[in-house]
Short mmCIF file of all heavy atoms in Angstrom, two decimals:
data_model
loop_
_atom_site.label_atom_id
_atom_site.label_comp_id
_atom_site.label_asym_id
_atom_site.label_seq_id
_atom_site.Cartn_x
_atom_site.Cartn_y
_atom_site.Cartn_z
N VAL W 555 12.33 -28.82 26.44
CA VAL W 555 11.33 -27.76 26.35
C VAL W 555 10.12 -28.29 25.61
O VAL W 555 10.20 -29.27 24.87
CB VAL W 555 11.90 -26.51 25.62
CG1 VAL W 555 13.09 -25.94 26.37
CG2 VAL W 555 12.29 -26.85 24.19
N ASP W 556 8.98 -27.63 25.82
CA ASP W 556 7.78 -27.95 25.04
C ASP W 556 7.30 -26.67 24.38
O ASP W 556 7.95 -25.63 24.43
CB ASP W 556 6.70 -28.59 25.92
CG ASP W 556 6.31 -27.69 27.10
OD1 ASP W 556 6.38 -26.45 26.95
OD2 ASP W 556 5.94 -28.23 28.16
N SER W 557 6.12 -26.75 23.75
CA SER W 557 5.65 -25.61 22.95
C SER W 557 5.34 -24.39 23.80
O SER W 557 5.26 -23.28 23.28
CB SER W 557 4.41 -26.01 22.15
OG SER W 557 3.37 -26.43 23.03
N GLY W 558 5.18 -24.54 25.12
CA GLY W 558 4.86 -23.40 25.95
C GLY W 558 6.01 -22.88 26.79
O GLY W 558 5.83 -21.95 27.58
N THR W 559 7.20 -23.43 26.60
CA THR W 559 8.34 -23.03 27.41
C THR W 559 8.89 -21.69 26.94
O THR W 559 9.15 -21.50 25.75
CB THR W 559 9.46 -24.09 27.34
OG1 THR W 559 8.95 -25.35 27.78
CG2 THR W 559 10.63 -23.69 28.23
N LEU W 560 9.09 -20.76 27.88
CA LEU W 560 9.71 -19.47 27.57
C LEU W 560 11.21 -19.69 27.50
O LEU W 560 11.85 -20.04 28.50
CB LEU W 560 9.37 -18.44 28.65
CG LEU W 560 9.92 -17.03 28.44
CD1 LEU W 560 9.33 -16.40 27.19
CD2 LEU W 560 9.65 -16.16 29.66
N VAL W 561 11.80 -19.51 26.33
CA VAL W 561 13.22 -19.80 26.15
C VAL W 561 14.07 -18.53 26.11
O VAL W 561 15.27 -18.59 26.33
CB VAL W 561 13.45 -20.63 24.87
CG1 VAL W 561 12.76 -21.97 24.98
CG2 VAL W 561 12.98 -19.87 23.64
N ALA W 562 13.47 -17.37 25.81
CA ALA W 562 14.23 -16.13 25.75
C ALA W 562 13.26 -14.97 25.83
O ALA W 562 12.08 -15.10 25.52
CB ALA W 562 15.06 -16.05 24.47
N ARG W 563 13.78 -13.83 26.27
CA ARG W 563 12.95 -12.63 26.30
C ARG W 563 13.83 -11.41 26.13
O ARG W 563 15.00 -11.40 26.53
CB ARG W 563 12.17 -12.54 27.61
CG ARG W 563 13.03 -12.36 28.84
CD ARG W 563 12.21 -12.38 30.11
NE ARG W 563 13.04 -12.38 31.29
CZ ARG W 563 12.60 -12.68 32.51
NH1 ARG W 563 11.34 -13.03 32.68
NH2 ARG W 563 13.42 -12.65 33.54
N SER W 564 13.26 -10.39 25.54
CA SER W 564 13.99 -9.14 25.37
C SER W 564 13.97 -8.37 26.68
O SER W 564 12.94 -8.27 27.34
CB SER W 564 13.35 -8.29 24.26
OG SER W 564 13.46 -8.95 23.01
N THR W 565 15.12 -7.85 27.05
CA THR W 565 15.22 -7.12 28.31
C THR W 565 15.09 -5.62 28.11
O THR W 565 14.97 -4.89 29.08
CB THR W 565 16.58 -7.42 28.98
OG1 THR W 565 17.63 -7.13 28.06
CG2 THR W 565 16.66 -8.87 29.39
N ARG W 566 15.13 -5.16 26.87
CA ARG W 566 15.01 -3.74 26.60
C ARG W 566 13.62 -3.43 26.09
O ARG W 566 13.15 -4.01 25.13
CB ARG W 566 16.03 -3.30 25.55
CG ARG W 566 16.20 -1.79 25.50
CD ARG W 566 16.94 -1.37 24.25
NE ARG W 566 16.03 -0.58 23.42
CZ ARG W 566 16.22 -0.38 22.13
NH1 ARG W 566 17.22 -0.95 21.53
NH2 ARG W 566 15.40 0.36 21.44
N LEU W 567 12.94 -2.53 26.78
CA LEU W 567 11.62 -2.12 26.32
C LEU W 567 11.76 -1.18 25.12
O LEU W 567 12.66 -0.34 25.09
CB LEU W 567 10.86 -1.42 27.44
CG LEU W 567 10.43 -2.31 28.62
CD1 LEU W 567 9.86 -1.44 29.73
CD2 LEU W 567 9.41 -3.34 28.16
N PHE W 568 10.84 -1.34 24.16
CA PHE W 568 10.86 -0.47 22.99
C PHE W 568 9.77 0.57 23.18
O PHE W 568 8.58 0.28 23.01
CB PHE W 568 10.63 -1.28 21.72
CG PHE W 568 11.14 -0.60 20.50
CD1 PHE W 568 12.49 -0.64 20.18
CD2 PHE W 568 10.30 0.11 19.67
CE1 PHE W 568 12.98 0.00 19.06
CE2 PHE W 568 10.78 0.75 18.55
CZ PHE W 568 12.13 0.69 18.25
N LEU W 569 10.17 1.76 23.56
CA LEU W 569 9.23 2.79 23.98
C LEU W 569 9.20 3.94 22.98
O LEU W 569 10.20 4.24 22.33
CB LEU W 569 9.61 3.31 25.37
CG LEU W 569 9.73 2.23 26.44
CD1 LEU W 569 10.33 2.81 27.71
CD2 LEU W 569 8.38 1.60 26.72
N ARG W 570 8.08 4.64 22.94
CA ARG W 570 7.90 5.71 21.98
C ARG W 570 8.55 7.01 22.45
O ARG W 570 8.53 7.33 23.64
CB ARG W 570 6.41 5.95 21.75
CG ARG W 570 5.75 4.89 20.91
CD ARG W 570 4.26 4.98 20.98
NE ARG W 570 3.78 4.56 22.30
CZ ARG W 570 2.51 4.26 22.58
NH1 ARG W 570 1.62 4.34 21.64
NH2 ARG W 570 2.15 3.88 23.78
N PRO W 571 9.10 7.78 21.51
CA PRO W 571 9.64 9.10 21.87
C PRO W 571 8.54 10.16 21.73
O PRO W 571 7.74 10.12 20.80
CB PRO W 571 10.75 9.31 20.85
CG PRO W 571 10.24 8.60 19.62
CD PRO W 571 9.41 7.43 20.11
N PHE W 572 8.51 11.11 22.65
CA PHE W 572 7.61 12.25 22.54
C PHE W 572 8.46 13.49 22.23
O PHE W 572 9.47 13.73 22.89
CB PHE W 572 6.83 12.49 23.84
CG PHE W 572 5.86 11.39 24.16
CD1 PHE W 572 5.48 11.15 25.48
CD2 PHE W 572 5.33 10.59 23.17
CE1 PHE W 572 4.59 10.14 25.78
CE2 PHE W 572 4.44 9.57 23.46
CZ PHE W 572 4.06 9.35 24.78
N PHE W 573 8.06 14.26 21.24
CA PHE W 573 8.79 15.46 20.85
C PHE W 573 8.01 16.67 21.36
O PHE W 573 6.96 17.02 20.83
CB PHE W 573 8.95 15.51 19.33
CG PHE W 573 9.90 14.47 18.81
CD1 PHE W 573 9.51 13.14 18.70
CD2 PHE W 573 11.19 14.81 18.46
CE1 PHE W 573 10.39 12.18 18.25
CE2 PHE W 573 12.07 13.86 18.00
CZ PHE W 573 11.68 12.54 17.89
#
Side-chain angles (χ1 to χ4, degrees):
V555 299
D556 58 31
S557 60
T559 302
L560 182 64
V561 298
R563 65 184 173 195
S564 296
T565 54
R566 195 194 115 200
L567 291 172
F568 202 80
L569 305 171
R570 286 166 289 195
F572 294 154
F573 290 77

